[in-house]
Amino acid sequence: MRCPAKPSAGTWQKEQDAVFEVITISFAFFFGLLVRQVGLPPLVGFLAAGFAINIFGPTLGLPEYTGETLHHVAHLGVLMLLFTVGLKLKLEQIAQPQVVGGALLHFAISVAVFVPGIMLFTPLDWNTALLLAIALSFSSTVLAAKLLETKRELGAFHGRTAIGILIVQDIIALAVLAIWSGQTPNIWALLVFAVPLLRPVLHWLLDFAGHDELLVLMGMLLSLVIGGMGFEAMGLSSEIGALVMGVLLSTHSRAKELGEALWSLKEIFLVGFFLQIGLTGLPDWGAMMFALVAGVALALKGVLFFALMIAFKLTPRSAFLTALSLTAYSEFGLIVAAGVLPEYLVPLAIAVSISFVIAAPLNRFAHPLYERCEHRLRIYQRNTIHPDEQPKKMGDADVLIFGMGRTGSAAYRVMADQGFRPLGLDSDTYKAKAHQEAGRNVLFADAEDSNFWRSCDLGQIRAAILAMDDLEAKLIAARSLRARGFTGPIVSHALHESHQEQIRDAGADYTHLTMNQAGISLAEQTLNAMNRG
């Protein structure tokens, strides 16, 4: 009787790889799909999938190298995310009092409160308590950037403020890691001062890269190779390196196109980030108690951010949205723990996971939440507010266009050509400024801000066009226009057919499916050309 042949090393490796792919992809998809049915963002499902893989993976034959593989994929996702954030970042955003002051004061107050609290309820020494307090003081860059980007609010005032604070926090985290771990930059780190000289070369490369797969490869080269591995080789943070590469290209006219080209690839890699949190380890009773207490303390983090933003003269709405974006524990806390507190990595991973589960749905419904709380928060409104948030007058405009991206800009040109006096409004101050420099009548204003609606004069406005991408923004704008007594036509574009009824219920008269209308226009131009022929 012949014995069955043993599988070769290559065949065995392929089988292991297949098991890894089947389990990770299947668990991520079905858990993400499950939580979406209850109104939660898929990333909450990815977190749950990570813990499920940790529990059931060994029984299903998951390879031992799964953790390392997901860690590598997650790291690539974080680098690409920070690179795309850098593409939308302007350096002057960081040099703002509410950004630098808010980040430093929140860090100092959080550590001052957490250290005695940790020492009071645990037998830890002072140094360990300090490191845990520092790890808990940071907010999640990955979660905030992903949620703000999904809602198209990275360019909004509260989005720019939150990202600026997160960058300052990340710099503090890297300094802490370097001090406690004994890691210091090497002599090659001096080359970082020459990085700005790369800007002309990078701009030329972006012009030369075209619009196809070379554009995606250029983004990967800059974020993963030059920014990531390049900065690591100098003894610096690969995360900061990826962010810096993005900032160097942020002033280029094709920066947005590059970010969009990397979107899907970055999203896939980031699934690995959320999965690997669950694979960090399974908690014992002590770890669960630590995480639950940290989850309760999460409210203090949000309240402190809100108070600091109010102190820096932001409106209650901007302070609320900024604080909500920052109310989650940071993945950098896990990096700090891995380097200097490995025994607390699992409790911190559970705390971060709980904070994500709490923060993700809250941020998803941030604007409706503020609408419900506005009457209580209005008492914090100051007579003087931040210059970026000052409401604007409509002038002699007779058509309002909300959202001055490609769709809004096209609508603006048509209305102006027809003899109307359009006024474009956009929540991104840099985009509004670029339109102004091009000679268009565009102002900064956030259609989701109740302060704008209380101060605006709609007396001469005959029609309104809603050209924003975010569904919630269109719903709030339509409802607010009708609440102010506006009786003219409201026309909105819609990205999905399922959104049309919601927008009409909010007060819009007409909705147009953007891609559908593009197809109709193409067909009409084709028919006209055929008739002329």
Side-chain angles (χ1 to χ4, degrees), residues 130-163:
L130 176 61
L131 286 171
L132 275 177
I134 290 172
L136 292 171
S137 70
F138 303 131
S139 300
S140 173
T141 302
V142 171
L143 182 69
K146 180 172 172 55
L147 292 173
L148 288 169
E149 189 174 42
T150 301
K151 296 188 293 181
R152 304 293 195 272
E153 292 179 0
L154 274 175
F157 179 75
H158 65 272
R160 291 186 283 110
T161 302
I163 291 299

Side-chain angles (χ1 to χ4, degrees), residues 9 29 44 68 76 78 87 130 146 170 181 200 218 241 262 295 306 308 319 414-415 421 428 444 456 486:
F29 175 77
V44 176
E68 290 183 16
L76 298 181
V78 170
L87 289 173
L130 176 61
K146 180 172 172 55
D170 290 348
S181 67
M218 180 181 173
L262 292 172
F306 178 81
L308 288 171
V414 172
M415 299 306 294
R421 299 182 300 277
D428 187 333
F444 165 79
C456 68
F486 180 70

